Amino acid sequence: MNWKKIKDFLLENKKYVLIAGVAIIAFFLYLHQSQGEQESGNNIVKSEPKVVNSTSSVKQDLDDKKQKESTSVNQKTSEVTCDIGGAVKNEGVYTLKNGARLNELIMAAGGLSRNAQLKNVNRALILKDQDKIHIPYRGEKVRGNQIVLSVNESSNSSANNASSEETPDTKEQEKSSKVNINTANAQELQKLNGIGEKKAELIVAYRQKNGQFASIEDIKQISGIGDKTFAALKDQLEV
């Protein structure tokens, strides 16, 4: 290769060589800038799904929250809580599934005591929330509507009685403000003067073992209830 000829050519045409060099440099700068803009555009496009994903995540959280709230409401309405007392082995408050029968509540309370009276008891009855059930003892005189007391029925009955004139039934209700020691549960017995939790449980246990009291004086057979205690509460008692 003749370097002298090349050198002479470049010196003679240095103006054109300089222009060509500038053009080449400008071309590479333009190419580099175009690639940078394309990469920036790609980054913007790639970031868009993140926004979509974020919105989708918020929506999913709201749906999950609604589902949990719906499940909680359904769970509450799928249960009934009832109070049972009288001739069962374990008086108390029990929670059962919605649609449960009275017989299931009796089983939850340990079953019937040996002196239970089932003549007017409908064990196939479907329970409602807050029902109060009384299983009568053998020989106890009760009407059918005294076995199951529902909240709504109790409210309606109270309203009707308040607006009606005094009748024999009204006098009977006033009389029933006393505590019947043959039917009252442990909580109701504790409303009596001088009867605490322990004595109330003793009264219930005595009933389950020996049957109902023949007279209010028979309560003195309970340990801890003597003449003095009886005198203080006799006006509150009935059988």
Side-chain angles (χ1 to χ4, degrees):
M1 182 178 290
N2 195 335
W3 292 104
K4 185 177 180 182
K5 289 182 178 182
I6 294 173
K7 182 179 179 182
D8 293 339
F9 175 80
L10 293 174
L11 290 173
E12 291 176 2
N13 300 282
K14 61 182 180 180
K15 180 179 179 181
Y16 299 104
V17 172
L18 182 61
I19 292 172
V22 171
I24 291 171
I25 292 172
F27 173 76
F28 279 108
L29 288 174
Y30 172 77
L31 183 64
H32 179 72
Q33 184 177 1
S34 297
Q35 289 178 346
E37 291 177 352
Q38 184 176 2
E39 290 177 359
S40 176
N42 290 338
N43 290 336
I44 294 174
V45 172
K46 290 179 180 178
S47 65
E48 289 178 355
K50 293 181 179 180
V51 175
V52 175
N53 290 338
S54 177
T55 303
S56 177
S57 176
V58 172
K59 184 178 179 181
Q60 183 64 38
D61 290 343
L62 290 174
D63 291 341
D64 291 343
K65 185 177 180 180
K66 289 180 180 178
Q67 186 175 1
K68 289 179 180 178
E69 291 175 351
S70 176
T71 301
S72 177
V73 171
N74 290 336
Q75 185 175 4
K76 289 180 180 179
T77 57
S78 66
E79 296 178 339
V80 292
T81 300
C82 303
D83 184 358
I84 185 169
V88 290
K89 293 181 180 177
N90 299 301
E91 297 178 322
V93 177
Y94 297 89
T95 298
L96 304 172
K97 65 181 184 299
N98 192 23
R101 308 275 178 171
L102 175 54
N103 191 59
E104 295 176 64
L105 179 60
I106 293 172
M107 292 300 101
L112 298 166
S113 60
R114 64 181 182 179
N115 56 343
Q117 175 181 284
L118 298 177
K119 181 179 179 180
N120 294 322
V121 178
N122 179 12
R123 284 176 285 179
L125 177 74
I126 296 177
L127 299 169
K128 295 190 291 262
D129 191 45
Q130 300 183 53
D131 274 352
K132 180 175 176 58
I133 311 297
H134 174 73
I135 304 299
Y137 294 95
R138 189 180 298 118
E140 182 181 347
K141 295 180 181 180
V142 293
R143 294 190 296 270
N145 61 1
Q146 293 178 317
I147 294 173
V148 180
L149 180 63
S150 295
V151 173
N152 293 337
E153 293 173 0
S154 177
S155 299
N156 293 337
S157 176
S158 297
N160 291 336
N161 289 336
S163 61
S164 64
E165 296 180 358
E166 186 174 325
T167 63
D169 288 339
T170 306
K171 294 178 180 179
E172 183 67 24
Q173 289 173 0
E174 291 176 355
K175 180 182 177 182
S176 66
S177 62
K178 295 183 177 182
V179 175
N180 189 320
I181 56 177
N182 283 327
T183 61
N185 60 30
Q187 289 181 335
E188 292 167 339
L189 289 168
Q190 290 179 56
K191 297 176 182 178
L192 296 169
N193 294 336
I195 303 299
E197 181 179 357
K198 185 176 180 180
K199 288 181 181 178
E201 291 175 353
L202 289 174
I203 294 171
V204 173
Y206 178 90
R207 268 188 343 224
Q208 292 175 343
K209 182 179 179 181
N210 303 290
Q212 63 182 172
F213 296 97
S215 65
I216 61 173
E217 286 77 11
D218 288 346
I219 199 173
K220 291 191 289 183
Q221 298 182 48
I222 305 300
S223 177
I225 300 179
D227 292 335
K228 186 176 180 180
T229 302
F230 176 75
L233 57 80
K234 65 180 182 179
D235 292 336
Q236 305 172 55
L237 306 179
E238 67 176 4
V239 292

